[in-house]
Amino acid sequence: EHPFYLWVRNKMGVRAKRKEQAHIATSHHSLLATDNTRWTRTAIFTTCWLSVLTAVALMRIEPRMEQIVSSDAQHRYLPYARKLLDEGVAFLWSAESVRVAPLSYIWPAIFGGNSASIRSANVALFLICLVLLWRIGLRLGGLPAAMTSTLLMVLHPELHHYFPTELTEPIFLFGAFLWIFGIVRIGEQPFQSNKYIALAAIGLMLT
């Protein structure tokens, strides 16, 4: 074959290859732009949805912030928290310290045994649980599952009674959600999940 024709064929092949590479690069950038747009929309929707649910939850919880201290908290959790604060770590080695679950008085002791601070911290735990439930629902069932589960949590007729208290339910529920979230992420990344194993372990310990 004549060298000229070989040269022409080679040039045409190089141009075709460059066009193909340019097309691939353009398609890649388009996909990235689409993914970024989708992620931005999801982030905006998530922020708006959780903000609305947070407002509804706080409106339901706020009237109960001044409720009387429950019997369990008054006679067990708060007195034990004060003993822990007064005696320090030595209290944990006493026989009395195991009469109730240690977390039931360690958590209140972190806030100085002050009811208002404990209740505020437990309300914060409720909001964290709401975010965890959203993440769990989004990963397991998509947007409909995340929206439905978080809405049901906020509108649940009993849950909002337990969080503005000194009781153990808030920290235990937080532990359960943290454990489930960790398990879900471990299932997604079984070989790169050390931090999620740690999260699941902490959640299981709390609950």
Side-chain angles (χ1 to χ4, degrees), residues 99-149:
R99 291 179 181 173
V100 296
L103 196 60
S104 66
Y105 56 84
I106 292 175
W107 177 248
I110 294 173
F111 303 97
N114 180 272
S115 289
S117 298
I118 297 166
R119 292 181 180 193
S120 297
N122 286 341
V123 171
L125 285 182
F126 179 88
L127 300 181
I128 295 172
C129 287
L130 190 64
V131 174
L132 287 173
L133 182 59
W134 173 267
R135 297 288 301 276
I136 293 167
L138 203 60
R139 293 183 176 280
L140 292 182
L143 195 59
M147 293 178 65
T148 303
S149 58

Side-chain angles (χ1 to χ4, degrees), residues 164-198:
T165 66
E166 302 80 6
L167 298 175
T168 57
E169 281 79 1
I171 190 70
F172 290 161
L173 190 61
F174 167 71
F177 277 119
L178 192 63
W179 173 65
I180 295 170
F181 177 71
I183 293 297
V184 170
R185 293 309 304 267
I186 290 169
E188 291 178 339
Q189 302 174 352
F191 302 108
Q192 299 176 350
S193 55
N194 288 340
K195 62 181 178 180
Y196 297 116
I197 291 173

Side-chain angles (χ1 to χ4, degrees), residues 27-40:
S27 300
H28 179 67
H29 290 310
S30 298
L31 287 173
L32 286 178
T34 302
D35 288 343
N36 288 336
T37 302
R38 186 182 296 117
W39 184 89
T40 302

Side-chain angles (χ1 to χ4, degrees), residues 9-10 22 41 58-59 68 71 93 121-122 142 153 162 167 171 173 177 187 194 198:
R9 186 179 300 172
N10 183 54
R41 289 176 180 173
L58 292 178
M59 284 191 295
I68 62 172
S71 177
W93 300 105
N122 286 341
M153 178 177 175
Y162 292 100
L167 298 175
I171 190 70
L173 190 61
F177 277 119
N194 288 340

